[in-house]
Amino acid sequence: MNWTDERVERLKKLWAEGLSASQIAAQLGGVSRNAVIGKVHRLNLPGRAKAGGATTATRAPKRPAASTPRPASNFNSARISPARAVARPQGSAMLKEEMDIDAIEEVRFRPSANVVVPISRRLGLTELTERTCKWPVGDPLTDDFHFCGCESPDTSPYCTYHQRMAYQPVNERRKAANRVA
DNA sequence: CCCTGATTCGC
DNA sequence: GCGAATCAGG
């Protein structure tokens, strides 16, 4: 995974918005937070530490809107807490069963307390490339339908977040749904 | 422990 | 230039 101009621009933007290095790494995909931090330094982007010492982000106590829910377009939250916030509030058009499965996915596919959800780039079908996540978002019958569009590794049609969902067998998902219901 | 960013250094 | 390993702090 190399630092293309496009990825560097996204890095700069997200860093300027105050997202943490690990969050940015999740948005870009294919890089670690260390890689992001390293790149930030090489680009001479303004760091977040106090001048001088070898210490850390003492400053930047209030990050803009990064770790708190964003404006709330349907998929654009940076973080969600476990049992909360369904990622696809396509409410009216969504089947009840589908909502249940989504809710379970929120809980089942979390590596830790928080799940970093990629910010959908809301690409249309014709905007997809080999390396963009092809996870569909929303109801295909509405104008709002789009694809995740985040960076995906060439080994998968999906970004790292959606791979977890894509590879979960459907019957497993249904069983899980029944268990809870 | 979870997280943060900063630094080092072999590649 | 890159980023894993490590450090140091919250």
Side-chain angles (χ1 to χ4, degrees):
Chain A
M1 187 68 67
N2 66 326
W3 286 104
T4 62
D5 288 350
E6 196 249 337
R7 286 165 63 77
V8 170
E9 284 312 305
R10 282 211 279 150
L11 165 62
K12 286 180 180 173
K13 176 163 174 285
L14 295 170
W15 184 258
E17 287 175 0
L19 292 203
S20 72
S22 59
Q23 285 177 309
I24 294 172
Q27 309 308 330
L28 295 177
V31 287
S32 67
R33 74 178 197 94
N34 278 329
V36 168
I37 291 171
K39 188 62 180 173
V40 163
H41 281 245
R42 265 173 258 122
L43 289 171
N44 286 315
L45 296 181
R48 287 171 177 160
K50 288 189 280 198
T55 44
T56 74
T58 335
R59 200 187 58 81
K62 301 296 182 247
R63 234 171 286 138
S67 48
T68 45
R70 319 190 133 235
S73 65
N74 59 2
F75 200 73
N76 288 1
S77 65
R79 276 167 178 273
I80 55 177
S81 44
R84 278 286 49 95
V86 170
R88 300 191 285 166
Q90 240 80 27
S92 54
M94 198 159 46
L95 298 174
K96 180 179 182 303
E97 181 185 20
E98 192 180 349
M99 296 177 68
D100 289 343
I101 289 175
D102 272 359
I104 285 158
E105 283 172 340
E106 298 296 344
V107 174
R108 292 191 71 206
F109 301 108
R110 64 191 161 97
S112 62
N114 293 311
V115 176
V116 177
V117 180
I119 296 174
S120 170
R121 296 174 69 200
R122 306 183 65 88
L123 300 184
L125 181 59
T126 58
E127 295 172 297
L128 295 177
T129 70
E130 316 252 335
R131 304 188 63 87
T132 54
C133 177
K134 296 161 190 66
W135 186 267
V137 179
D139 186 335
L141 299 181
T142 68
D143 291 340
D144 194 44
F145 180 71
H146 58 275
F147 294 87
C148 170
C150 282
E151 191 88 26
S152 65
D154 45 15
T155 53
S156 168
Y158 304 114
C159 67
T160 50
Y161 176 78
H162 286 124
Q163 282 172 44
R164 291 201 299 273
M165 299 189 178
Y167 295 149
Q168 192 66 211
V170 169
N171 59 337
E172 286 299 317
R173 292 160 63 172
R174 294 198 184 284
K175 270 192 282 183
N178 291 334
R179 240 179 276 134
V180 171

